[in-house]
Amino acid sequence: MVRTRPRHLLKAAAGSSAGPASTDRSTETLRARDLSDAQFFDRYGTDRFTAAIVANRMRFIVKHMSTVLLTTSFSMILREWYDFAVTISGPPQMNYPMSTGSDSLSIFMFTMADAVRNVVEEFGPENIRPGDVLIANDPYRIGQHVNDVCFIRPVFYRGELVSFVTIRAHQLDMGGSVAGGFSGLKHNVYETGLVIPPILLYRDDRPQRSTFNLIFDNARYSELILPDVKSLYQSLLLGERLLMEAIDRYEADAMRGAIRYSCDIAADAMRDAIRTRIPDGVYEGKDALDCDGTADQRECRVKVRIVKAGDRMEFDFSGTSPQAAISINCGPLDAKAAVGVALKMAIEPHAALTSGCFRTIDLVIPPGTFISATPPYGPIFMYWEASFVIISAIYRALAPALGEDAVGPDFGSMMVHNGSGRWPDGRPWLSVSTCGGEHGPWGATKVADGDSYTVNHTGNNLDPATEAIESSVPVVLLRKEYVTDSGGPGQHRGGAAVLRDALWLAAAEHNVTSLHAKTPAGIGVHGGGSGTAQACWMLPGEPAGNLADRAVTILGNAADVYAQCEPVAGMIDPATGQLDPSGRYYYFGSRPVWEPGCGGVLRFRTGGGGGWGDPLERDPERVLHDVRDEYVSLAGAWRDYGVAIIGDPVRHPEALSIDHAATTRRRADLRAARAAAPPGPESQPWKP
Amino acid sequence: MQRQAQDLPDGIWQERKAVTAADLLAAGVDPASPEIARSFEQLELYPVLSEGGWYLVIKNRISLEEIARRPWRLFGPVELLSSSLVLD
């Protein structure tokens, strides 16, 4: 589609038509839980008990819809990855409040409230009717990327539009220059894939052939997309039916009241957290993606200035770098979702995720930055990478205010792998987001060590089973193990980096997008140290052929194996090929595709999680267990924790012991050295 | 390769417009009221993204007190070329 370039904001505003009716920003400051029964009924049109019952009923509905989709979809990205989310939103006259979300991607749900409004308002609420399914996928209209299509089902009751059930679900392909789409090297919206404005997929519960053809004529793997869409449609029908049953039982007023009540509860919880967890003041933070695609040394830097006053917060992203020339940007709705995720992680993890979370929060986002990209030359695909640095910048900004409650980022960049090729009989295969560095560690908190293998902070989805991956594409996942001394040291240790080897059994094209390799993403908090940075290598195989009758070389993990490999991404010593913070930066986009060939290996090493608290305060017994379990080496225990461990952790792990006298002396020496000199870079948050 | 600060691109800044009496009147706020007059120099007009979408707000830059808020365009800074079509 063709769009105008963004106009100057304030000039444009003067002549623009107003958007939809404003959501009530609640001049009613009385919290829902503090209302008398009469006040509650006045505000919500139902009693407190019924509102709670219907709100719970809606949560059941989105979970049920999710289960249907998980168990009936065909593509791995839906059935094994859980790459979708389900929401319920209120009607236009309520300004589409999103009251209920499913268990999966929080970053989806935080954009879906705006997505439903934007799609329905553009299409025209007066133009929709029972039996419709509206779809759209434009990142600049509804957030995320073109593969994440929104399927919106209006729910009518006795002729009145009362709500929407919506699924945003990743489709295997949307056309564009790369099969599957996961590439950070696309240069405009025409390369990112088919853009779908708000259009009907079903009318009167009949499929609209022209819409299906629009997708099938542009997308690859349509024979898998079609049954997925049928599953999506059935899930929407289930949601509609269950909502209608609830309204039959409790009346439409109770449904509307429960939608508003759910949003108010979330708004109240966030407002309380803002007021009580963060002192009034101004907080600033930064983080950056490694490069913007024009030159590998030019970072995409996000800058946030947070003003907190009472129960309000304003996040001003002025000073953020211009949009990148490659598809690593995100849009403003994604930025908004990232702010929501950061606050949920940092200060208010308890209440349900609804559109009400933003009631006392404003984002100020200048257009044309890499977190507010504009079409057509601010391409958006790997949007989560920009989201991650927004979250990280907010964590960094708020860490001093949160003190011991501070949280650090996760592994920082998903280093997503995208591979495609053909089976010997000519059938195409596609591997998306399953054979790279997509899963990794979190930082530690005041409660515990960081987990070492999980999803990023914006997701809550699944890691596909190795068997499912290997049965779908010509790959053997040779290695999935933790890296010793990679988690940031701390009283609570950061999660360990993950080393993953994928042996490719056939020649194919591979895309790798590594965006936080120059510095560790997993910074330490409250005195903890940083984890290590991410990197990727390729061990070339044969240019073509099939491995069926050949011996396979297993890539070891000793230091000397890296000299055989080609660096793909990361800070790497050119001589040894090993990860080296002072080495040379290898840019993932130095080649349009990576071709390990038949029998080649792609090795991914995720970033490590940051530590929490002073590592010299970690119980030596826990350090002993870390050494036994190979999270920490003997040298690392001595260097980072000041603990002297005696024994052989590989051959006799249960015979390890602590030299307590040496430990006491070592820790005293380390504390004395700290007092004499400022902390070294290892214990300092990164400063660009 | 080391990062070089001089190579970093300049950031983009959101303009915050100084408020005029006309802006306040357009937002339904009496510019002559004593409260507004006292803080007039601290008032700014700019777009924000929040619950419910994009808005144009007038706020006190010191206290964040909100003087006015009205809905802005559906897609914020992005406009559809098709918006120029006469559809009816």
Side-chain angles (χ1 to χ4, degrees):
Chain A
M1 66 177 295
V2 178
R3 277 164 284 224
T4 55
R5 295 173 66 83
R7 300 190 308 187
H8 186 282
L9 282 173
L10 296 176
K11 281 182 185 168
S16 65
S17 60
S22 167
T23 296
D24 175 13
R25 283 177 59 82
S26 199
T27 47
E28 306 160 305
T29 53
L30 205 53
R31 292 177 297 188
R33 71 181 184 200
D34 296 330
L35 297 172
S36 69
D37 286 349
Q39 289 169 320
F40 192 98
F41 197 91
D42 283 347
R43 186 186 288 184
Y44 299 111
T46 188
D47 64 272
R48 191 185 307 271
F49 183 77
T50 304
I53 291 287
V54 177
N56 282 325
R57 179 80 181 174
M58 289 190 287
R59 282 195 280 278
F60 155 76
I61 290 170
V62 295
K63 286 170 185 273
H64 201 157
M65 291 172 68
S66 300
T67 302
V68 165
L69 193 51
L70 273 175
T71 52
T72 63
S73 55
F74 287 74
S75 63
M76 181 178 289
I77 197 79
L78 296 183
R79 67 180 160 83
E80 304 281 344
W81 235 104
Y82 207 156
D83 198 351
F84 65 89
V86 184
T87 59
I88 295 173
S89 297
Q93 62 269 29
M94 295 175 72
N95 198 17
Y96 310 89
M98 193 279 280
S99 63
T100 316
S102 53
D103 290 336
S104 55
L105 290 139
S106 51
I107 202 160
F108 272 26
M109 286 179 274
F110 268 135
T111 59
M112 287 167 72
D114 293 292
V116 171
R117 175 190 315 103
N118 292 356
V119 168
V120 175
E121 286 294 314
E122 182 181 344
F123 188 80
E126 69 281 8
N127 297 322
I128 58 176
R129 60 194 199 209
D132 282 352
V133 174
L134 273 170
I135 63 168
N137 75 345
D138 181 7
Y140 308 94
R141 286 175 164 103
I142 65 169
Q144 269 84 59
H145 58 191
V146 290
N147 290 47
D148 294 331
V149 179
C150 265
F151 299 80
I152 302 171
R153 174 75 165 186
V155 178
F156 287 79
Y157 186 77
R158 293 176 184 165
E160 182 190 358
L161 177 58
V162 291
S163 68
F164 299 90
V165 289
T166 303
I167 305 174
R168 188 195 286 271
H170 187 101
Q171 305 303 300
L172 271 184
D173 192 84
M174 271 296 137
S177 59
V178 175
F182 285 93
S183 164
L185 298 176
K186 297 184 260 190
H187 295 94
N188 50 58
V189 297
Y190 315 109
E191 293 181 10
T192 54
L194 174 68
V195 174
I196 306 174
I199 53 174
L200 286 168
L201 185 68
Y202 285 81
R203 168 129 283 188
D204 299 325
D205 283 318
R206 294 182 179 174
Q208 300 300 289
R209 190 171 185 175
S210 57
T211 306
F212 278 89
N213 282 339
L214 175 71
I215 297 170
F216 298 157
D217 292 350
N218 285 279
R220 307 167 182 90
Y221 319 111
S222 291
E223 66 279 7
L224 264 179
I225 294 175
L226 174 59
D228 273 357
V229 172
K230 288 181 176 177
S231 296
L232 283 154
Y233 175 62
Q234 290 301 321
S235 181
L236 290 172
L237 293 185
L238 173 70
E240 178 189 42
R241 179 168 62 78
L242 293 174
L243 263 180
M244 300 277 275
E245 288 174 5
I247 299 170
D248 271 339
R249 183 164 182 174
Y250 297 103
E251 302 294 341
D253 282 347
M255 169 67 64
R256 284 187 286 265
I259 288 173
R260 184 176 176 193
Y261 172 66
S262 298
C263 292
D264 286 356
I265 290 290
D268 290 347
M270 184 62 79
R271 173 184 283 163
D272 285 350
I274 292 170
R275 192 181 64 250
T276 59
R277 302 286 305 279
I278 304 172
D280 284 1
V282 179
Y283 306 94
E284 294 185 325
K286 294 176 182 174
D287 196 7
L289 297 178
D290 288 336
C291 48
D292 70 355
T294 58
D296 64 10
Q297 76 273 29
R298 282 178 43 146
E299 296 172 339
C300 286
R301 183 188 296 182
V302 67
K303 183 173 184 291
V304 63
R305 182 175 189 269
I306 304 169
V307 180
K308 187 270 179 180
D311 60 5
R312 293 183 176 274
M313 291 182 90
E314 187 176 272
F315 294 75
D316 189 341
F317 290 97
S318 291
T320 294
S321 299
Q323 61 194 21
I326 52 175
S327 48
I328 60 173
N329 303 290
C330 73
L333 295 184
D334 303 311
K336 178 181 173 184
V339 170
V341 170
L343 292 179
K344 277 293 185 189
M345 294 293 292
I347 64 170
E348 204 296 291
H350 303 296
L353 190 159
T354 78
S355 54
C357 295
F358 288 94
R359 186 155 303 163
T360 58
I361 297 166
D362 282 338
L363 277 70
V364 181
I365 317 178
T369 73
F370 81 100
I371 63 167
S372 56
T374 53
Y377 295 111
I380 295 174
F381 203 94
M382 317 299 271
Y383 67 89
W384 56 88
E385 301 286 343
S387 303
F388 290 175
V389 290
I390 294 171
I391 293 169
S392 172
I394 293 170
Y395 289 160
R396 291 166 194 258
L398 296 181
L402 293 174
E404 67 170 21
D405 292 327
V407 294
D410 53 33
F411 47 108
S413 166
M414 286 178 71
M415 246 188 327
V416 164
H417 167 266
N418 187 105
S420 62
R422 289 187 176 276
W423 296 103
D425 63 6
R427 287 178 296 121
W429 58 262
L430 174 68
S431 171
V432 288
S433 202
T434 54
C435 295
E438 293 88 3
H439 297 80
W442 283 18
T445 66
K446 72 175 181 181
V447 175
D449 294 343
D451 285 341
S452 294
Y453 191 88
T454 185
V455 294
N456 65 77
H457 285 189
T458 72
N460 186 30
N461 31 25
L462 304 172
D463 180 27
T466 297
E467 294 79 3
I469 297 168
E470 292 181 346
S471 67
S472 301
V473 296
V475 70
V476 178
L477 296 178
L478 290 176
R479 190 186 301 277
K480 190 188 283 187
E481 67 185 30
Y482 298 147
V483 181
T484 303
D485 289 336
S486 59
Q491 183 175 349
H492 294 158
R493 176 181 42 73
V498 176
L499 194 70
R500 273 186 106 184
D501 286 350
L503 169 71
W504 291 94
L505 304 179
E509 294 189 345
H510 301 265
N511 301 87
V512 175
T513 307
S514 159
L515 285 163
H516 213 307
K518 285 183 176 173
T519 57
I523 58 165
V525 292
H526 198 55
S530 296
T532 52
Q534 67 177 208
C536 178
W537 296 263
M538 180 175 77
L539 178 68
E542 300 296 325
N546 192 306
L547 272 193
D549 303 318
R550 259 189 249 169
V552 172
T553 302
I554 306 294
L555 185 62
N557 63 359
D560 59 355
V561 303
Y562 291 94
Q564 311 166 40
C565 299
E566 290 184 39
V568 174
M571 298 296 291
I572 291 171
D573 180 337
T576 66
Q578 295 180 57
L579 188 67
D580 180 353
S582 58
R584 172 185 161 193
Y585 173 63
Y586 286 85
Y587 171 45
F588 72 92
S590 62
R591 296 182 197 173
V593 293
W594 295 90
E595 296 178 287
C598 176
V601 173
L602 283 171
R603 166 168 289 183
F604 294 84
R605 175 175 162 157
T606 72
W612 179 96
D614 183 353
L616 302 185
E617 298 297 323
R618 187 169 177 83
D619 184 344
E621 288 291 335
R622 296 183 67 194
V623 178
L624 176 74
H625 292 160
D626 287 341
V627 173
R628 181 197 63 187
D629 297 339
E630 298 187 63
Y631 286 107
V632 175
S633 67
L634 287 171
W638 178 258
R639 180 187 64 237
D640 298 329
Y641 294 92
V643 177
I645 307 286
I646 302 166
D648 183 339
V650 175
R651 290 185 175 78
H652 304 289
E654 299 302 334
L656 295 172
S657 63
I658 301 169
D659 182 336
H660 289 282
T663 297
T664 301
R665 287 195 301 275
R666 172 67 176 166
R667 287 190 159 183
D669 290 346
L670 288 173
R671 289 192 176 99
R674 274 187 198 169
E682 277 295 311
S683 57
Q684 287 287 323
W686 170 61
K687 289 177 182 164
Chain B
M1 180 189 321
Q2 299 301 310
R3 277 189 308 279
Q4 297 176 24
Q6 64 270 27
D7 290 336
L8 297 176
D10 293 332
I12 295 178
W13 294 77
Q14 176 62 57
E15 181 182 348
R16 296 177 180 227
K17 184 185 164 196
V19 167
T20 65
D23 293 327
L24 289 166
L25 287 169
V29 178
D30 178 7
S33 77
E35 257 183 33
I36 296 297
R38 259 198 308 275
S39 60
F40 191 82
E41 296 299 317
Q42 295 165 1
L43 301 184
E44 296 174 329
L45 170 65
Y46 51 98
V48 299
L49 182 58
S50 184
E51 181 188 16
W54 289 92
Y55 299 89
L56 283 175
V57 295
I58 297 174
K59 285 193 198 179
N60 183 311
R61 70 169 180 271
I62 307 294
S63 65
L64 279 194
E65 182 190 1
E66 185 175 303
I67 307 302
R69 172 177 296 253
R70 58 193 168 101
W72 197 37
R73 293 195 304 256
L74 200 58
F75 307 122
V78 172
E79 280 191 286
L80 304 179
L81 184 57
S82 61
S83 298
S84 62
L85 295 172
V86 178
L87 300 176
D88 297 316

